[in-house]
Amino acid sequence: MSQAVGNTALAYARVWHHVDASDRILGKLAERIALVLMGKHKPIYDPSVDCGDYVVVTNSRNVKVTGRKEEQLLFRKHSMYPGGLKETPYETMKQKNPDEIIRHAVSGMLPKNKLRERRLERLKIFPSDRMGIMGGNIMRSWEDGTLPPDFNPSIPTTGTTLKMLKESQASQGNSSS
């Protein structure tokens, strides 16, 4: 009888993770997202194989940076024409395009190889709580790393929904006593 463990279809199955970026530090958040996109949290990790999972980030508008980065950080892009350098300060980028801040940070944490763009395609970023139809795919939420006992995949488990659930349970506990 074979005892083969490892490279099975179930081992390579992709899971959807949810991250609430409210009041999280940008660098530490980007590092953890990059590890999940690469698949380093799985025992079958291989640098040459793309075995990472999907990551859905909500509340990207509320991400924090440390120190004086809010005043000093600049996002640069070039049109490849002479004089085509465009610089956007962090504050402007946070108002106009907050998802690009996290995408840029995660992109810098991923290895610079042919798998980078494919991994970044599995990163879904939303500026508010609403994630639309993608909320039904989420299997793991990063608040505590576990699934709630009454897990229902059709209802997205975000940080705000978990807080509302705890508040409703607390109010029911107070009303019954």
Side-chain angles (χ1 to χ4, degrees):
M1 204 177 296
S2 174
Q3 296 279 328
V5 177
N7 301 342
T8 62
L10 185 59
Y12 283 103
R14 300 193 193 278
V15 177
W16 287 67
H17 299 263
H18 171 254
V19 183
D20 188 6
S22 297
D23 301 325
R24 301 279 298 267
I25 305 299
L26 177 63
K28 293 180 182 186
L29 179 68
E31 176 193 11
R32 189 154 176 197
I33 291 171
L35 291 177
V36 173
L37 288 174
M38 285 188 282
K40 280 196 166 185
H41 63 291
K42 294 183 176 183
I44 58 160
Y45 171 71
D46 181 19
S48 63
V49 178
D50 190 17
C51 60
D53 292 338
Y54 287 88
V55 178
V56 177
V57 180
T58 55
N59 293 320
S60 65
R61 197 174 298 269
N62 302 333
V63 74
K64 303 283 184 206
V65 290
T66 58
R68 295 180 51 199
K69 292 187 190 90
E70 287 198 15
E71 303 124 25
Q72 294 176 343
L73 196 60
L74 290 174
F75 291 91
R76 294 183 176 96
K77 63 182 181 179
H78 204 287
S79 67
M80 302 309 289
Y81 286 98
L85 179 66
K86 305 277 190 216
E87 292 182 340
T88 309
Y90 176 80
E91 285 296 323
T92 308
M93 188 69 106
K94 190 173 180 180
Q95 292 169 358
K96 289 185 178 178
N97 205 357
D99 57 333
E100 198 59 35
I101 294 172
I102 295 177
R103 189 175 311 281
H104 182 76
V106 171
S107 175
M109 303 260 176
L110 289 172
K112 283 65 174 175
N113 57 24
K114 292 182 179 181
L115 299 174
R116 182 189 215 179
E117 291 303 317
R118 192 182 316 166
R119 288 171 174 160
L120 281 174
E121 286 174 4
R122 289 197 307 270
L123 176 63
K124 313 294 183 194
I125 304 173
F126 300 97
S128 66
D129 286 330
R130 304 195 179 215
M131 62 185 99
I133 198 166
M134 295 199 190
N137 296 332
I138 293 172
M139 290 294 292
R140 294 195 183 122
S141 190
W142 286 6
E143 277 77 20
D144 58 356
T146 60
L147 291 173
D150 56 343
F151 177 70
N152 184 358
S154 63
I155 302 170
T157 54
T158 63
T160 53
T161 57
L162 289 173
K163 286 177 190 173
M164 290 173 21
L165 181 66
K166 287 179 185 177
E167 290 171 1
S168 66
Q169 288 174 352
S171 66
Q172 289 175 358
N174 292 340
S175 63
S176 64
S177 34

